[in-house]
Amino acid sequence: MPSIDNVIHRLPGPARDLAIRHSELIKFAIVGGTTMVFDLAIFYSLSLTVLEQKPTIAKVISGVLAMILSYILNREWAFKNRGGRERHHEALLFFSISGIGVLISAAPIWIANNFFDIREGHTSLTMLLILDFVLNYIIGNLLQMAFRFWALRKFAFPEENARGAAAGSTDFEPTEEEAAEEQLGHS
């Protein structure tokens, strides 16, 4: 499987420049996709077994576990060149922001179940799975993703290039190609 660097370097000039310029957003989206699959697997494992009658609880549990994975991937890859805070302060902000994100992503299913009683009258498992997917993983994730990207850059990882040498970079005058690779999160 080709690395992200290889894929980006094969793009035409304008697309490559755009990808490099928005690399944090691209990496954030890749982390989000990865944690969404992780979240989805846990949610359906719980909501189709032990928490069948409590899909909101299943969503919160799966969201918290996905949040832990997200912190590790975002800190070490998507926002690896950002920082400006002590690790414990950064982690507290990340988990606070992500906790709000979990609640935002669970809100559509909670509203649908508690205000509109969508589970009443739907005996089809397929219909419930589709409803849960649309509410949790399309509407809920889009809402929380927009909030988290803004809030993480603003509060948890506020300073661009804050980790530089502290993150292991010893090249204080990189070439343009080395700077582009570093921007992508690879060395």
Side-chain angles (χ1 to χ4, degrees), residues 41-117:
I42 293 170
F43 171 74
Y44 282 118
S45 295
L46 293 173
S47 69
L48 294 175
T49 58
V50 296
L51 294 174
E52 187 175 357
Q53 297 302 314
K54 299 187 183 290
T56 304
I57 301 295
K59 177 60 186 153
V60 170
I61 290 170
S62 68
V64 168
L65 294 173
M67 182 185 354
I68 293 167
L69 178 61
S70 178
Y71 174 68
I72 294 165
L73 295 175
N74 276 304
R75 183 179 199 298
E76 299 301 324
W77 188 55
F79 298 119
K80 91 173 212 165
N81 294 323
R82 287 183 165 270
R85 304 203 185 280
E86 293 181 28
R87 187 176 285 223
H88 68 279
H89 190 211
E90 177 184 273
L92 177 64
L93 286 169
F94 182 91
F95 287 113
S96 297
I97 290 165
S98 295
I100 294 168
V102 168
L103 296 176
I104 289 170
S105 70
I109 197 166
W110 183 81
I111 291 167
N113 281 313
N114 292 299
F115 289 109
F116 300 111
D117 293 324

Side-chain angles (χ1 to χ4, degrees), residues 44 47-48 52 119 122-132:
Y44 282 118
S47 69
L48 294 175
E52 187 175 357
R119 284 189 145 40
H122 289 292
T123 56
S124 165
L125 179 62
T126 304
M127 185 59 151
L128 288 175
L129 291 174
I130 291 169
L131 283 170
D132 285 347

Side-chain angles (χ1 to χ4, degrees), residues 13 17 42 58 84 119 171 174 181:
D17 294 341
I42 293 170
R119 284 189 145 40
D171 192 354
E181 284 184 15

